[in-house]
Amino acid sequence: VMARADHIKGPYLSKDGTDIAIQGVPGTLMLKGDGIKFVGPGHNAEIIVDDNGDEWLLYHAVEIANPYLPGGATRRPLMLDKIHWDEDGWPFIEKDVPGISSQAGPYFKR
């Protein structure tokens, strides 16, 4: 989930303008599991900007069919999706779920 503020000390507001400091207000959803292939997307690793100026989100998710490492820890493969921006300046990932099909990736000049 996400929220934003005009000042570092807040208030931090969800997309609908609700202060997330209010108990029970989670913020605005950016990513959710698709319930088919991945659950628990999050733990943002990095935001990168490619040479075309496109922004990409690196994060982790859990693959439903193969969720654990041999020692029992949760397997969290690294995911990459393009960040899009709505007309109000809020970031989003297409369909709000991890991309599972082939897609164009970041472009970097050699």
Side-chain angles (χ1 to χ4, degrees), residues 10 12 14 41 44 56-59 65 70 72 84-85 93 96 101 108:
Y12 285 85
S14 63
N44 176 37
W56 299 83
L57 181 67
L58 285 164
Y59 62 96
H84 302 276
W85 297 87
I93 302 300
D96 301 327
S101 59
F108 294 101

Side-chain angles (χ1 to χ4, degrees), residues 58-78:
L58 285 164
Y59 62 96
H60 295 102
V62 177
E63 187 174 5
I64 294 170
N66 192 16
Y68 300 107
L69 294 167
T74 305
R75 181 186 311 269
R76 297 188 63 81
L78 187 63

